[in-house]
Each structure stands twice: as C-alpha cells, then as structure tokens.
C-alpha cells in the first residue's frame, strides 16, 4: 500500500501544545520594559520558545496580532536603578562583543510562518542549560557568563517601516527575561508541563487603545487572581480562555464569560443611544453605573 507523509497541518501546533512533562523547573523574571510591570514564573525546563510566546501573550493580556521575535543574549547587565527593576541595560561587554549565540523567532499574527519551523521547538532552557542543578559552564555562553548574565529579549509588535519613507513605527513592546543570582533551578514532586506563577505586578496599557482612552498607570493596574490558577493557562492553550489588559486591570475570562460581558456592553450602549435620541442624556455624558473597563469602543471593536 502506498503511504503519504502527514501534512504540516496534521502536526501539533507548537504554540498551543504543552511541552513534555518534567520535574525540573527554572524560575525567571519577565519585566515589561519602560513599565514597572513584571511576572515571576517557574517554568518546566522543557518549555520551548513557542510555549514562551504563548505564555507571554497570556500573562500580559495581548491578542497575538503582531510580529514577534525572541533573542538570547549573553553578557547581560541589568539596570541598577530601582525605578527599572529587571530591565536589561547592556546586552554585551566591549571586551567580548557579547551576543555569543542568538536564537531568533519571527512570525506574523497567525503564527503560520513559525508553525512548520524547527526553531519553534527550541527549548528556552538551552539558554540556561542545567542537569538538575546550577552548572554555569553549560549555559549559552559556554561558561563565560554566569546564568544571571544571560537573558532573553522578547519583542512584540515589531517596529516596521511605515511605507511612506524609511520612518519606522516605534510601537513595539519589549519583555526582558532574566534570572537572579544563585539557584534558579527547582524540582517539583510530580512531572508537569504547566508553569507555576509566583508573583505579578501591574498590566500593560490597552493594546489597541486610541490616544483618547484614559486608563490607570500600568503599575497600578490589578492582576486577576486567576493568573495564579494554572488551569486558566491550560484553558488558554486549549482556546477556551482569554486574557486582556483593560483600563484598570489584567482580566482573565472564559470565552463564555467574555461573550456575556460583550453582550452586556452592547445592551448598555444601545440603552445609552436610546436615551440620547430621546433627549434624556447628552452624547458625551458617561453613565455612572457603567464599568470603566467595558464602556469603551477601543476595548471591544
């Protein structure tokens, strides 16, 4: 019988498929550059760069609609300024020229450009290689740098030429992924393929908001307690959960909850339009009972 090879579409999606289960974990800090917003997470050492991309989109409430890339750097120096904790100041030293090895991922919003690429399966743990404990000579710099001097720079919504000239649109988001000095490797009791969320502060500005949207400072936004329940990340990978940076918070909802919330928003908007048509309300007046996260077109349309 003649056989045919499986098509690429039959292969598991590396962005939504969880990695091989393991008991070996690494603790990393995810710092949103330019903002005092961070996440501290313990990840399975089997996590790939594709998994890392999905995790970042989930943790920061983005909608995966832009180009992205991830690069590994050695000779990393963090800012000492307490106003920029976890932010990379320098990526290499003049002596070594740094960036000894780079793992780069590029893809469009649909991720089709990456789904068939082997690079999507590269484990992020290759940056801080270890065999159950701290072995600095096995990290990406081959021992030239400590694990604390190795970092990943993840860029989302890449700056691209505007088409009108050589001008570049500077609207990208950058997440600096680093580890602290000392032991960063942990062993859990039972094999798992899910992250362990340890700490979170703030949320990014709304991703597609217009300049007229008024929102809380990023560091003051609240984080949904659901972030610390890994079942919601599992649901996110399965397509049954969504996350979104709102005016005052990072919100995590099931798809059913999000749909109901949107229906309620449309109902309130219709009622408001009727009051305006009847002369009962001025067009620019806001309803006192409207939730400030649901009454703005920028968050739904």
């Amino acid at each position: 019988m003649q056989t045919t090879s499986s098509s690429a579409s039959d292969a598991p999606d590396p962005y939504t498929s969880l990695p091989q289960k393991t008991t070996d974990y690494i603790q990393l800090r995810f710092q949103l550059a330019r903002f005092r917003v961070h996440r501290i997470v313990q990840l399975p050492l089997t996590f790939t760069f594709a998994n890392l991309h999905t995790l970042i989109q989930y943790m920061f409430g983005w909608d995966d609609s832009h180009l992205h890339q991830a690069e590994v750097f050695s000779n990393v120096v963090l800012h000492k300024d307490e106003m920029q904790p976890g932010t990379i100041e320098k990526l290499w030293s003049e002596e070594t020229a740094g960036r000894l090895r780079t793992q780069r991922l590029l893809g469009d919003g649909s991720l089709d450009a990456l789904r068939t690429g082997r690079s999507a399966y590269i484990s992020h743990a290759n940056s801080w290689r270890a065999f159950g404990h701290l072995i600095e000579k096995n990290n990406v710099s081959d021992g030239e740098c400590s694990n604390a001097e190795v970092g990943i720079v993840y860029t989302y919504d890449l700056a691209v030429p505007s088409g009108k000239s050589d001008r570049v649109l500077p609207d990208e988001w950058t997440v600096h992924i680093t580890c602290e000095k000392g032991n960063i490797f942990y062993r859990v009791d039972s094999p798992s393929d899910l992250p362990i969320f340890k700490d979170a502060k703030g949320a990014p500005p709304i991703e597609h908001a217009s300049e007229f949207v008024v929102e809380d400072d990023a560091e003051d936004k609240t984080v949904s307690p659901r972030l610390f329940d890994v079942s919601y990340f599992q649901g996110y990978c399965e397509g049954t959960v969504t996350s979104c940076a709102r005016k005052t918070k990072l919100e995590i909802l099931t798809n059913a909850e999000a749909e109901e919330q949107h229906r309620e928003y449309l109902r309130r908007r219709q009622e408001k339009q009727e009051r305006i048509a009847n002369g009962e309300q001025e067009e620019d007046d806001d309803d006192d009972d409207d939730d400030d996260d649901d009454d703005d077109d920028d968050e739904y349309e």
Side-chain angles (χ1 to χ4, degrees), residues 51-97:
N51 296 140
L52 202 66
H53 166 74
T54 301
L55 177 72
I56 292 171
Q57 292 290 310
Y58 170 72
M59 293 192 301
F60 291 105
W62 294 326
D63 65 7
D64 196 10
S65 60
H66 302 287
L67 290 166
H68 67 275
Q69 74 174 26
E71 295 180 279
V72 179
F73 294 92
S74 60
N75 297 284
V76 161
V77 178
L78 297 181
H79 271 286
K80 295 181 180 179
D81 185 351
E82 63 180 15
M83 297 300 293
Q84 303 184 68
T87 301
I88 296 173
E89 180 180 18
K90 298 178 181 178
L91 296 172
W92 61 80
S93 66
E94 295 179 359
E95 291 78 10
T96 64

Side-chain angles (χ1 to χ4, degrees), residues 25-283:
Y25 273 62
I26 183 172
Q27 181 165 302
L28 300 175
R29 180 187 181 99
F30 295 76
Q31 181 69 44
L32 182 60
R34 309 194 314 274
F35 300 93
R36 292 173 62 83
V37 173
H38 74 264
R39 310 285 184 257
I40 296 177
V41 189
Q42 291 179 358
L43 300 178
L45 284 181
T46 51
F47 239 54
T48 66
F49 276 99
N51 296 140
L52 202 66
H53 166 74
T54 301
L55 177 72
I56 292 171
Q57 292 290 310
Y58 170 72
M59 293 192 301
F60 291 105
W62 294 326
D63 65 7
D64 196 10
S65 60
H66 302 287
L67 290 166
H68 67 275
Q69 74 174 26
E71 295 180 279
V72 179
F73 294 92
S74 60
N75 297 284
V76 161
V77 178
L78 297 181
H79 271 286
K80 295 181 180 179
D81 185 351
E82 63 180 15
M83 297 300 293
Q84 303 184 68
T87 301
I88 296 173
E89 180 180 18
K90 298 178 181 178
L91 296 172
W92 61 80
S93 66
E94 295 179 359
E95 291 78 10
T96 64
R99 209 165 93 174
L100 298 179
R101 192 176 76 182
T102 296
Q103 306 283 8
R104 174 176 293 182
L105 294 177
L106 287 170
D108 60 16
S110 67
L111 304 181
D112 288 337
L114 287 177
R115 281 189 175 131
T116 58
R118 292 180 59 192
S119 60
Y121 292 92
I122 296 172
S123 171
H124 77 278
N126 290 337
S127 308
W128 299 276
R129 285 192 222 115
F131 301 94
H133 56 86
L134 188 65
I135 305 178
E136 293 184 344
K137 68 180 181 181
N138 289 312
N139 67 27
V140 72
S141 71
D142 294 326
E144 179 174 331
C145 303
S146 69
N147 287 316
E149 296 172 304
V150 174
I152 297 174
V153 176
Y154 171 91
T155 308
Y156 174 61
D157 197 358
L158 290 168
V160 295
S162 66
K164 298 179 180 179
S165 64
D166 293 333
R167 184 172 66 89
V168 172
L169 303 177
D171 295 329
E172 63 188 26
W173 306 88
T174 304
V175 178
H176 294 173
I177 308 169
T178 58
C179 58
E180 298 178 346
K181 294 180 180 179
N183 183 35
I184 59 174
F185 298 103
Y186 298 86
R187 180 157 287 168
V188 298
D189 294 335
S190 301
S192 178
D193 52 11
L194 293 169
I196 301 171
F197 298 95
K198 305 297 290 186
D199 188 43
K201 178 181 179 180
I206 298 171
E207 185 173 357
H208 301 294
S210 73
E211 60 182 308
F212 303 107
V213 173
V214 178
E215 56 183 311
D216 287 358
D217 290 341
E219 65 184 271
D220 295 329
K221 293 187 179 184
T222 60
V223 176
S224 170
R226 289 180 173 183
L227 182 69
F228 297 93
D229 182 341
V230 294
S231 67
Y232 283 94
F233 176 67
Q234 191 168 19
Y236 182 81
C237 293
E238 295 169 353
T240 61
V241 169
T242 184
S243 69
C244 185
R246 301 284 194 197
K247 293 179 181 178
T248 64
K249 61 192 173 186
L250 174 75
E251 188 167 53
I252 297 174
L253 301 171
T254 65
N255 289 351
E257 290 170 335
E259 291 169 3
E260 176 58 31
Q261 188 181 83
H262 186 47
R263 284 193 293 270
E264 177 62 17
Y265 160 76
L266 294 176
R267 183 190 65 78
R268 292 202 315 269
R269 189 175 71 169
Q270 178 63 33
E271 291 178 350
K272 180 178 179 179
Q273 290 173 343
E274 291 175 357
R275 289 195 299 271
I276 293 172
N278 295 331
E280 299 171 1
Q281 179 178 335
E282 295 295 331
E283 186 168 359

